[in-house]
């Protein structure tokens, strides 16, 4: 049996031969002719399906949460190049789980999300090829963009024939990314993939698959598109209408961010109680707590730059005490994206026990595309876990780290309580709505659960500090949870 398997592997390897630039170029040219790419200056396509909340897993290391797409339209102009993506989504999971669940999020325009009628949200995203996200979506994550990019570059590739089916693998470099695409024996693009840098996952695989091609005029276009990031789907679309050369002449919005790396992150410590500061900066936020001989920071959101700014501000605010702990409320990327900088600094992570194996695994991921401080330091993380309660205390202060039982946003969610100040810090379980926002038809289950946990633990709370910014009296939580 082992001999037969070895022979099969040798035969299959022999069939995979270096096609070189010539064969790869020929494969691209045939696909361009078959799919009608040469005459395509723009395309608009619409459909329905599912979108998924990247980095907002329903549990540590699980798949991204799913939302049903009721309306989807993408407009791509290859000449400009720009792209506009519009979708309306419904969280029809019952009960809602994971991050981004609606309609319970704040009624703001942050992140391009705004509530429509309850239960439905609309997202609008406009991209330009001058930025990395736009380059990925315009030239890599759609089949005609891939062919146009491949036709204008020096390609290389290989050809494989297995069980009578021949496929061409086409490889080229664009914008610092190595792009690999598969063209089948019908001269149709089946798959495109590359790796991009993600501050949590490192060199992250981004991939798209295309199937069920149909004719739309002189253009062939897939009616099934699946995009994946980090191993899980981010878009699963059934295409229903396609308008070749029907996309509007998209222009770069006036407030579009400039190309290139972002500017420096600024964080300012604002005192809210004796030995307690709000580290004001880009949302989500962090809080600094002083003990007798050391410091602790609650939450490491964003990325390395955000954490390094918080660490620097902590040292400036209390210069004679070392930073010993960072408390991580949960594993969603906007709340855990800056943990690597704390590990590189030698700071101990305090998190729920469910998160430890996940963090230990992803901290080992390769970060070759953008080596961060931890990748250069090659340092192992020190992680201390919480089951139901972890007490951080000395002669000057007590800080309680509690598990929020049964929270659907993340089963490993933590909250932090300072009993002397009667101050509670929480993330995502309670998002206060703006004063002019339309009332929700029912309280958020996340908020109701938070109040239940506070009462179960008999915490004497006067104020609640939100990781997404702001401090409210405890009565605001009671009211939001539908209690009087």
């Amino acid at each position: 049996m082992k001999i037969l398997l070895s022979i099969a592997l040798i035969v299959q390897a022999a069939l995979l031969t270096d096609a070189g630039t010539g064969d790869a170029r020929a494969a691209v040219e045939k696909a361009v002719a078959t799919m009608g790419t040469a005459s395509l200056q723009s395309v608009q396509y619409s459909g329905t399906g599912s979108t998924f909340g990247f980095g907002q897993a329903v549990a540590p290391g699980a798949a991204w949460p799913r939302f049903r797409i009721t309306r989807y339209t993408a407009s791509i102009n290859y000449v400009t190049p720009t792209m506009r993506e519009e979708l309306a989504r419904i969280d029809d999971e019952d009960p809602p789980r994971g991050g981004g669940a609606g309609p319970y999020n704040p009624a703001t325009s942050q992140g391009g999300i705004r509530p429509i009628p309850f239960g439905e949200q609309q997202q609008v995203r406009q991209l330009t090829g001058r930025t990395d996200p736009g380059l990925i979506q315009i030239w890599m994550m759609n089949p005609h963009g891939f062919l146009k990019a491949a036709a204008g570059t020096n390609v290389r590739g290989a050809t494989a024939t297995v069980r009578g089916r021949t496929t061409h693998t086409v490889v080229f470099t664009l914008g610092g990314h190595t792009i690999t695409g598969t063209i089948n024996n019908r001269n149709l693009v089946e798959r495109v993939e590359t790796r991009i840098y993600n501050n949590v996952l490192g060199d992250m695989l981004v991939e798209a698959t295309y199937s069920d091609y149909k004719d739309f005029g002189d253009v062939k276009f897939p009616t099934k598109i699946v995009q994946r990031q980090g191993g899980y789907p981010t878009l699963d679309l059934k295409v229903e209408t396609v308008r070749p050369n029907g996309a509007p002449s998209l222009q770069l919005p006036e407030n579009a961010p400039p190309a290139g790396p972002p500017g420096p992150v600024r964080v300012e410590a604002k005192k809210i109680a004796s030995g307690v500061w709000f580290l004001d900066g880009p949302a989500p936020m962090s809080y600094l707590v002083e003990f007798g001989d050391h410091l602790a920071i609650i939450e490491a959101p964003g990325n390395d730059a955000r954490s390094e700014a918080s660490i620097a501000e902590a040292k400036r605010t209390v210069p004679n005490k070392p930073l010993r702990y960072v408390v991580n409320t949960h594993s969603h990327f906007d709340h855990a994206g800056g943990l690597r900088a704390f590990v590189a600094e030698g700071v101990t992570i305090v998190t729920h026990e469910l998160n430890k194996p996940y963090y230990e695994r992803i901290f080992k991921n390769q970060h070759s595309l953008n080596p961060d401080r931890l990748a250069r330091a090659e340092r192992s993380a020190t992680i201390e876990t919480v089951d139901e309660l972890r007490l951080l205390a000395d002669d000057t202060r007590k800080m309680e780290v509690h598990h929020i039982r049964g929270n659907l946003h993340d089963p490993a969610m933590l909250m932090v309580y300072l009993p002397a100040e009667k101050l509670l810090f929480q993330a995502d379980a309670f998002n206060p709505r703006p004063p002019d926002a339309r009332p929700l038809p029912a309280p958020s289950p996340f908020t109701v659960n938070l109040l239940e946990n506070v009462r179960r633990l008999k915490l004497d709370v006067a104020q609640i500090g939100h990781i997404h910014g702001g401090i409210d009296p405890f009565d605001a939580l009671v009211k939001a949870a539908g209690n009087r």
Side-chain angles (χ1 to χ4, degrees):
M1 184 66 180
K2 290 183 179 179
I3 295 175
L4 292 176
L5 179 60
S6 299
I7 293 174
L9 291 174
I10 293 172
V11 171
Q12 184 170 339
L15 291 171
L16 184 64
T17 59
D18 183 10
T21 301
D23 286 354
R25 175 70 57 191
V28 170
E29 290 175 351
K30 289 179 181 178
V32 166
T34 300
M35 292 176 55
T37 301
S39 62
L40 197 65
Q41 295 187 348
S42 69
V43 65
Q44 185 176 80
Y45 55 97
S46 302
T48 56
S50 299
T51 185
F52 302 81
F54 174 73
Q56 303 292 310
V58 298
W64 319 130
R66 171 193 168 275
F67 302 86
R68 180 165 62 88
I69 297 175
T70 57
R71 299 185 304 278
Y72 178 96
T73 300
S75 303
I76 302 175
N77 191 309
Y78 299 110
V79 178
T80 323
T82 51
M83 175 179 179
R84 181 179 176 87
E85 183 183 55
E86 304 172 74
L87 66 88
R89 71 179 197 178
I90 291 177
D91 185 0
D92 56 2
E93 298 293 315
D94 187 15
R97 295 180 182 273
Y104 306 110
N105 286 336
T108 69
S109 59
Q110 184 178 357
I113 303 175
R114 63 176 180 86
I116 316 178
F118 289 112
E120 187 176 66
Q121 292 176 317
Q122 182 173 326
Q123 291 183 317
V124 179
R125 181 172 63 158
Q126 189 150 323
L127 301 169
T128 169
R130 294 193 313 165
T131 64
D132 209 51
L135 182 145
I136 296 292
Q137 290 297 323
I138 295 170
W139 303 118
M140 303 180 195
M141 292 293 101
N142 72 91
H144 290 279
F146 166 78
L147 289 177
K148 286 178 177 292
T153 59
N154 294 319
V155 296
R156 59 188 186 277
T159 299
T161 303
V162 179
R163 294 180 180 177
R165 186 175 182 274
T166 300
T167 61
H168 302 276
T169 300
V170 177
V171 184
F172 62 93
T173 301
L174 182 68
H177 298 277
T178 299
I179 317 302
T180 302
T182 301
I183 300 174
N184 64 22
N185 56 352
R186 294 183 294 129
N187 302 317
L188 301 174
V189 178
E190 281 189 345
R191 177 187 176 90
V192 178
E193 68 177 52
T194 188
R195 288 190 180 270
I196 65 174
Y197 181 73
N198 178 270
N199 57 292
V200 176
L201 298 179
D203 301 348
M204 181 180 69
L205 181 65
V206 175
E207 51 193 320
T209 57
Y210 310 103
S211 58
D212 300 336
Y213 276 83
K214 292 184 179 180
D215 292 325
F216 297 90
D218 296 328
V219 171
K220 292 185 183 297
F221 201 85
T223 58
K224 180 69 171 178
I225 298 175
V226 178
Q227 296 184 3
R228 299 167 69 90
Q229 293 187 27
Y232 297 114
T234 53
L235 177 69
D236 189 330
L237 185 67
K238 179 183 178 181
V239 177
E240 296 162 355
T241 62
V242 177
R243 295 176 57 202
N245 296 316
S249 180
L250 302 174
Q251 300 297 323
L252 186 66
E254 294 181 2
N255 61 348
V265 177
R266 300 185 183 278
V267 171
E268 180 183 359
K270 297 181 178 179
K271 193 170 185 177
I272 57 177
S274 178
V276 183
W277 293 265
F278 171 45
L279 295 178
D280 191 11
M285 310 293 187
S286 301
Y287 292 86
L288 173 65
V289 180
E290 180 183 9
F291 290 80
D293 63 352
H294 68 277
L295 304 174
I297 286 180
I298 302 169
E299 207 72 311
N303 51 29
D304 269 21
R306 176 67 167 84
S307 288
E308 288 169 359
S310 295
I311 292 169
E313 183 66 0
K315 292 179 178 179
R316 187 197 68 79
T317 304
V318 189
N320 299 319
K321 295 181 181 180
L323 178 59
R324 186 174 298 172
Y325 298 107
V326 58
V327 179
N328 164 243
T329 62
H330 60 300
S331 63
H332 291 170
F333 286 12
D334 53 332
H335 293 266
L339 283 175
R340 289 179 58 88
F342 282 91
V343 175
E345 185 73 14
V347 177
T348 297
I349 298 172
V350 177
T351 191
H352 193 270
E353 60 186 9
L354 292 177
N355 292 324
K356 184 176 181 179
Y358 175 63
Y359 287 151
E360 288 178 335
R361 174 169 59 83
I362 64 172
F363 284 161
K364 295 177 183 178
N365 286 357
Q366 192 170 19
H367 283 247
S368 64
L369 295 176
N370 183 20
D372 60 8
R373 184 180 168 193
L374 180 58
R376 298 191 300 270
E378 297 182 351
R379 193 170 199 164
S380 298
T382 301
I383 302 176
E384 297 183 4
T385 62
V386 179
D387 177 11
E388 290 299 320
L389 169 64
R390 172 68 189 275
L391 179 63
L392 301 176
D394 62 12
D395 294 339
T396 66
R397 178 181 301 285
K398 290 183 179 180
M399 185 168 83
E400 301 174 6
V401 184
H402 292 276
H403 177 218
I404 306 179
R405 287 185 187 173
N407 194 276
L408 298 175
H409 188 80
D410 190 309
M413 181 75 77
L414 299 179
M415 59 183 175
V416 179
Y417 177 57
L418 301 179
E421 292 77 13
K422 299 182 179 181
L423 183 57
L424 182 75
F425 299 103
Q426 66 82 33
D428 293 342
F430 173 34
N431 290 315
R433 294 170 63 78
D436 59 345
R438 182 181 175 185
L440 292 173
S444 162
F446 305 156
T447 302
V448 172
N449 171 261
L450 175 63
L451 180 60
E452 290 172 347
N453 275 272
V454 170
R455 289 176 169 168
R456 172 181 63 84
L457 296 166
K458 296 180 172 59
L459 304 182
D460 184 8
V461 179
Q463 291 182 301
I464 300 178
H466 311 295
I467 297 298
H468 278 277
I471 296 177
D472 280 295
F474 180 68
D475 285 349
L477 171 63
V478 175
K479 183 178 179 180
N483 287 265
R484 295 292 181 268

